[in-house]
Amino acid sequence: MNYQPFEDATLAVQTHLVLAAFVIIASLAILIPKKGTVLHKVLGRTWAVIMMGLALGSFWINSFDMPYGVSPIHILSVVVLITVPLGVYHIRNGNVRKHKRAMLITMVGGIVGAGLPAILAPGR
């Protein structure tokens, strides 16, 4: 695999990588405390903001070998932009089951669907 040094990457890629590292740590941390606690809420809000930043920022990372510079991974960014606010909506309306489902879809889709392919296919 041909990995590009971090310092040679564009600002968009550097920012994305830093936010991705934070979201992976926050994803693990958010699953540990009891749900509904202040800690869970603070971690959850932080995680949601970072996920939205990752999703929005991904549109500045282009794959020029794809039509319009958009890759299939960008579809997951759109999913995140829908599921995070949806998860927030559900918890604010007391629907814990739908909140959990939306957030797990976001977490698994982001890490497994976007993160792993990006690591396994660098420079795509």
Side-chain angles (χ1 to χ4, degrees):
M1 289 185 202
N2 187 15
Y3 290 98
Q4 179 182 15
F6 181 81
E7 60 272 6
D8 292 342
T10 65
L11 179 60
V13 171
Q14 289 177 345
T15 303
H16 197 77
L17 288 171
V18 170
L19 289 176
F22 278 117
V23 88
I24 289 169
I25 293 166
S27 293
L28 296 172
I30 204 165
L31 297 173
I32 295 170
K34 183 178 177 187
K35 307 311 173 251
T37 64
V38 172
L39 178 60
H40 179 80
K41 291 175 184 179
V42 168
L43 288 172
R45 288 176 180 136
T46 303
W47 179 87
V49 168
I50 294 171
M51 284 301 290
M52 294 296 284
L54 276 168
L56 290 169
S58 75
F59 294 108
W60 278 266
I61 301 172
N62 297 314
S63 179
F64 294 107
D65 57 338
M66 301 295 288
Y68 306 104
V70 177
S71 74
I73 291 177
H74 286 101
I75 295 168
L76 291 170
S77 295
V78 174
V79 171
V80 167
L81 293 172
I82 295 167
T83 57
V84 170
L86 195 59
V88 172
Y89 171 82
H90 288 312
I91 201 63
R92 287 190 177 169
N93 287 288
N95 195 331
V96 175
R97 184 181 60 78
K98 286 185 177 181
H99 165 76
K100 181 178 179 180
R101 187 176 73 194
M103 294 310 183
L104 284 175
I105 287 169
T106 306
M107 192 179 289
V108 172
I111 293 172
V112 175
L116 286 180
I119 291 169
L120 297 175
R124 62 186 189 293

